[in-house]
PDB file of all heavy atoms in Angstrom:
ATOM      1  N   HIS E 103    -142.972  55.475 -36.717  1.00 97.00           N
ATOM      2  CA  HIS E 103    -143.429  55.738 -38.075  1.00 97.00           C
ATOM      3  C   HIS E 103    -142.839  57.038 -38.619  1.00 97.00           C
ATOM      4  O   HIS E 103    -142.731  58.024 -37.911  1.00 97.00           O
ATOM      5  CB  HIS E 103    -144.952  55.819 -38.125  1.00 97.00           C
ATOM      6  CG  HIS E 103    -145.634  54.554 -37.676  1.00 97.00           C
ATOM      7  ND1 HIS E 103    -145.065  53.300 -37.760  1.00 97.00           N
ATOM      8  CD2 HIS E 103    -146.886  54.380 -37.127  1.00 97.00           C
ATOM      9  CE1 HIS E 103    -145.898  52.406 -37.283  1.00 97.00           C
ATOM     10  NE2 HIS E 103    -147.004  53.021 -36.897  1.00 97.00           N
ATOM     11  N   LEU E 104    -142.520  57.014 -39.870  1.00 98.00           N
ATOM     12  CA  LEU E 104    -141.921  58.165 -40.566  1.00 98.00           C
ATOM     13  C   LEU E 104    -143.004  58.878 -41.362  1.00 98.00           C
ATOM     14  O   LEU E 104    -143.798  58.220 -42.044  1.00 98.00           O
ATOM     15  CB  LEU E 104    -140.819  57.673 -41.526  1.00 98.00           C
ATOM     16  CG  LEU E 104    -140.054  58.731 -42.314  1.00 98.00           C
ATOM     17  CD1 LEU E 104    -139.150  59.553 -41.381  1.00 98.00           C
ATOM     18  CD2 LEU E 104    -139.231  58.063 -43.403  1.00 98.00           C
ATOM     19  N   ARG E 105    -142.975  60.203 -41.298  1.00 98.00           N
ATOM     20  CA  ARG E 105    -144.008  60.986 -41.995  1.00 98.00           C
ATOM     21  C   ARG E 105    -143.403  62.169 -42.730  1.00 98.00           C
ATOM     22  O   ARG E 105    -142.344  62.685 -42.346  1.00 98.00           O
ATOM     23  CB  ARG E 105    -145.069  61.508 -40.996  1.00 98.00           C
ATOM     24  CG  ARG E 105    -145.781  60.438 -40.211  1.00 98.00           C
ATOM     25  CD  ARG E 105    -146.854  61.058 -39.332  1.00 98.00           C
ATOM     26  NE  ARG E 105    -147.510  60.033 -38.521  1.00 98.00           N
ATOM     27  CZ  ARG E 105    -147.226  59.827 -37.245  1.00 98.00           C
ATOM     28  NH1 ARG E 105    -146.341  60.568 -36.630  1.00 98.00           N
ATOM     29  NH2 ARG E 105    -147.855  58.870 -36.568  1.00 98.00           N
ATOM     30  N   LYS E 106    -144.108  62.560 -43.786  1.00 98.00           N
ATOM     31  CA  LYS E 106    -143.778  63.805 -44.469  1.00 98.00           C
ATOM     32  C   LYS E 106    -145.087  64.397 -44.975  1.00 98.00           C
ATOM     33  O   LYS E 106    -145.886  63.688 -45.603  1.00 98.00           O
ATOM     34  CB  LYS E 106    -142.811  63.574 -45.626  1.00 98.00           C
ATOM     35  CG  LYS E 106    -142.330  64.883 -46.257  1.00 98.00           C
ATOM     36  CD  LYS E 106    -141.178  64.665 -47.228  1.00 98.00           C
ATOM     37  CE  LYS E 106    -140.698  66.019 -47.779  1.00 98.00           C
ATOM     38  NZ  LYS E 106    -139.548  65.880 -48.693  1.00 98.00           N
ATOM     39  N   PRO E 107    -145.346  65.666 -44.704  1.00 97.00           N
ATOM     40  CA  PRO E 107    -146.643  66.249 -45.050  1.00 97.00           C
ATOM     41  C   PRO E 107    -146.861  66.431 -46.556  1.00 97.00           C
ATOM     42  O   PRO E 107    -148.002  66.424 -47.003  1.00 97.00           O
ATOM     43  CB  PRO E 107    -146.643  67.599 -44.331  1.00 97.00           C
ATOM     44  CG  PRO E 107    -145.222  67.892 -44.026  1.00 97.00           C
ATOM     45  CD  PRO E 107    -144.511  66.588 -43.933  1.00 97.00           C
ATOM     46  N   SER E 108    -145.765  66.579 -47.310  1.00 97.00           N
ATOM     47  CA  SER E 108    -145.915  66.823 -48.744  1.00 97.00           C
ATOM     48  C   SER E 108    -144.651  66.289 -49.446  1.00 97.00           C
ATOM     49  O   SER E 108    -143.568  66.823 -49.253  1.00 97.00           O
ATOM     50  CB  SER E 108    -146.090  68.319 -49.009  1.00 97.00           C
ATOM     51  OG  SER E 108    -146.142  68.587 -50.400  1.00 97.00           O
ATOM     52  N   VAL E 109    -144.817  65.241 -50.235  1.00 98.00           N
ATOM     53  CA  VAL E 109    -143.633  64.606 -50.830  1.00 98.00           C
ATOM     54  C   VAL E 109    -143.332  65.207 -52.203  1.00 98.00           C
ATOM     55  O   VAL E 109    -144.197  65.761 -52.885  1.00 98.00           O
ATOM     56  CB  VAL E 109    -143.812  63.079 -50.968  1.00 98.00           C
ATOM     57  CG1 VAL E 109    -143.903  62.450 -49.584  1.00 98.00           C
ATOM     58  CG2 VAL E 109    -145.037  62.734 -51.816  1.00 98.00           C
ATOM     59  N   HIS E 110    -142.062  65.041 -52.586  1.00 97.00           N
ATOM     60  CA  HIS E 110    -141.607  65.490 -53.904  1.00 97.00           C
ATOM     61  C   HIS E 110    -141.144  64.274 -54.707  1.00 97.00           C
ATOM     62  O   HIS E 110    -140.841  63.220 -54.135  1.00 97.00           O
ATOM     63  CB  HIS E 110    -140.441  66.471 -53.738  1.00 97.00           C
ATOM     64  CG  HIS E 110    -140.782  67.653 -52.894  1.00 97.00           C
ATOM     65  ND1 HIS E 110    -141.646  68.649 -53.295  1.00 97.00           N
ATOM     66  CD2 HIS E 110    -140.388  67.989 -51.646  1.00 97.00           C
ATOM     67  CE1 HIS E 110    -141.740  69.549 -52.336  1.00 97.00           C
ATOM     68  NE2 HIS E 110    -141.004  69.177 -51.313  1.00 97.00           N
ATOM     69  N   ILE E 111    -141.044  64.473 -56.000  1.00 96.00           N
ATOM     70  CA  ILE E 111    -140.552  63.410 -56.872  1.00 96.00           C
ATOM     71  C   ILE E 111    -139.197  62.909 -56.370  1.00 96.00           C
ATOM     72  O   ILE E 111    -138.899  61.713 -56.383  1.00 96.00           O
ATOM     73  CB  ILE E 111    -140.409  63.909 -58.317  1.00 96.00           C
ATOM     74  CG1 ILE E 111    -141.764  64.346 -58.880  1.00 96.00           C
ATOM     75  CG2 ILE E 111    -139.781  62.829 -59.201  1.00 96.00           C
ATOM     76  CD1 ILE E 111    -142.712  63.209 -59.167  1.00 96.00           C
ATOM     77  N   SER E 112    -138.380  63.834 -55.901  1.00 96.00           N
ATOM     78  CA  SER E 112    -137.034  63.498 -55.457  1.00 96.00           C
ATOM     79  C   SER E 112    -137.006  62.628 -54.189  1.00 96.00           C
ATOM     80  O   SER E 112    -135.938  62.133 -53.817  1.00 96.00           O
ATOM     81  CB  SER E 112    -136.214  64.763 -55.206  1.00 96.00           C
ATOM     82  OG  SER E 112    -136.851  65.567 -54.232  1.00 96.00           O
ATOM     83  N   ASP E 113    -138.128  62.452 -53.545  1.00 97.00           N
ATOM     84  CA  ASP E 113    -138.193  61.580 -52.357  1.00 97.00           C
ATOM     85  C   ASP E 113    -138.303  60.106 -52.752  1.00 97.00           C
ATOM     86  O   ASP E 113    -138.249  59.224 -51.875  1.00 97.00           O
ATOM     87  CB  ASP E 113    -139.393  61.943 -51.484  1.00 97.00           C
ATOM     88  CG  ASP E 113    -139.232  63.303 -50.820  1.00 97.00           C
ATOM     89  OD1 ASP E 113    -138.087  63.637 -50.445  1.00 97.00           O
ATOM     90  OD2 ASP E 113    -140.236  64.033 -50.706  1.00 97.00           O
ATOM     91  N   THR E 114    -138.449  59.835 -54.015  1.00 97.00           N
ATOM     92  CA  THR E 114    -138.487  58.445 -54.482  1.00 97.00           C
ATOM     93  C   THR E 114    -137.178  57.753 -54.116  1.00 97.00           C
ATOM     94  O   THR E 114    -136.099  58.172 -54.550  1.00 97.00           O
ATOM     95  CB  THR E 114    -138.713  58.384 -56.009  1.00 97.00           C
ATOM     96  OG1 THR E 114    -140.004  58.896 -56.299  1.00 97.00           O
ATOM     97  CG2 THR E 114    -138.585  56.962 -56.518  1.00 97.00           C
ATOM     98  N   ALA E 115    -137.276  56.720 -53.311  1.00 97.00           N
ATOM     99  CA  ALA E 115    -136.083  56.047 -52.779  1.00 97.00           C
ATOM    100  C   ALA E 115    -136.538  54.869 -51.924  1.00 97.00           C
ATOM    101  O   ALA E 115    -137.724  54.638 -51.721  1.00 97.00           O
ATOM    102  CB  ALA E 115    -135.240  57.000 -51.958  1.00 97.00           C
ATOM    103  N   GLU E 116    -135.556  54.148 -51.391  1.00 97.00           N
ATOM    104  CA  GLU E 116    -135.815  53.066 -50.445  1.00 97.00           C
ATOM    105  C   GLU E 116    -135.555  53.621 -49.043  1.00 97.00           C
ATOM    106  O   GLU E 116    -134.549  54.300 -48.797  1.00 97.00           O
ATOM    107  CB  GLU E 116    -134.863  51.904 -50.721  1.00 97.00           C
ATOM    108  CG  GLU E 116    -135.178  50.637 -50.018  1.00 97.00           C
ATOM    109  CD  GLU E 116    -136.280  49.809 -50.688  1.00 97.00           C
ATOM    110  OE1 GLU E 116    -136.620  50.113 -51.852  1.00 97.00           O
ATOM    111  OE2 GLU E 116    -136.774  48.859 -50.062  1.00 97.00           O
TER     112      GLU E 116
END
Side-chain angles (χ1 to χ4, degrees):
Chain E
H103 301 333
L104 181 70
R105 301 185 183 100
K106 186 169 183 178
S108 176
V109 295
H110 303 290
I111 299 288
S112 59
D113 292 323
T114 294
E116 192 81 13

